[in-house]
Amino acid sequence: AWASPNEADEVAGNDAKKAWRSYVETLLGDMKASRDPEERAAALTAQPILDQMARTDGHADAAEPAAAADPFARLATDAPNDLLVQWLAATGSKPSTPTSAAAMANLQRLEPDNAAVWALSLVASPTSSEALQRMAAATRFDDHSNMVFALWRAAVKRHPLPADFAGDVVIVSGDVP
């Protein structure tokens, strides 16, 4: 069958989307199955992106996210002293939910000197004078992005990108200044 250059580009583009989606599904599946609660929490932060990819690609099986279920609830409850799990639960859950509130309380307990923790508190309570006072008195501001990046980097290292993606994707190296 004959295909015009535009049709050939569209087919190639669809194949690339399918391959990328398959890669992301495999990566997230591995992370969700991990024994490490931090890795499972990191995978949960990316699930909405995968869901959106599926809906954009027209997959009928890609339902809208469930309104009632908070995917972070169990992880946050099971790991109240894990700083990164609590951070990801607080930032990944909708504000003013029980999961977000509990994660914020845990973060405030775990890192009372972190202005980033108190800044998150302002999302749920924008006029909280306590949060503003704690932010002003804090000795540091750490949004834990370095810890999250390390989790993702380790996961991608275990699941390297397929060779045919190499020309299309730039990987950030740890040696980059």
Side-chain angles (χ1 to χ4, degrees):
W2 171 258
S4 72
N6 289 341
E7 289 172 1
D9 287 346
E10 188 175 321
V11 168
N14 286 337
D15 288 347
K17 282 182 185 178
K18 287 178 188 172
W20 177 246
R21 183 169 176 233
S22 174
Y23 171 77
V24 172
E25 286 173 343
T26 300
L27 178 66
L28 291 181
D30 178 60
M31 292 175 74
K32 287 177 186 176
S34 172
R35 292 179 185 264
D36 181 358
E38 293 178 353
E39 193 164 301
R40 292 195 314 268
L44 290 175
T45 65
Q47 187 61 47
I49 296 166
L50 184 61
D51 294 344
Q52 181 60 40
M53 286 170 57
R55 285 190 299 278
T56 302
D57 291 347
H59 290 273
D61 61 335
E64 289 293 325
D70 184 342
F72 291 97
R74 174 129 190 205
L75 270 174
T77 300
D78 289 350
N81 295 316
D82 189 308
L83 175 65
L84 192 54
V85 168
Q86 297 305 312
W87 183 266
L88 293 172
T91 58
S93 297
K94 291 183 178 167
S96 302
T97 62
T99 300
S100 178
M104 284 307 313
N106 285 331
L107 285 170
Q108 291 167 357
R109 176 180 53 79
L110 294 168
E111 290 194 303
D113 64 329
N114 185 352
V117 167
W118 296 101
L120 281 178
S121 300
L122 291 173
V123 173
S125 181
T127 59
S128 170
S129 59
E130 179 188 6
L132 292 171
Q133 289 169 354
R134 296 282 193 129
M135 283 177 67
T139 58
R140 62 196 179 91
F141 184 98
D142 185 356
D143 67 0
H144 304 292
S145 56
N146 59 335
M147 295 170 71
V148 175
F149 181 74
L151 282 172
W152 283 105
R153 186 166 182 219
V156 169
K157 217 174 197 179
R158 285 192 313 274
H159 291 281
L161 286 168
D164 54 337
F165 285 159
D168 300 331
V169 178
V170 176
I171 303 285
V172 177
S173 171
D175 342 277
V176 175

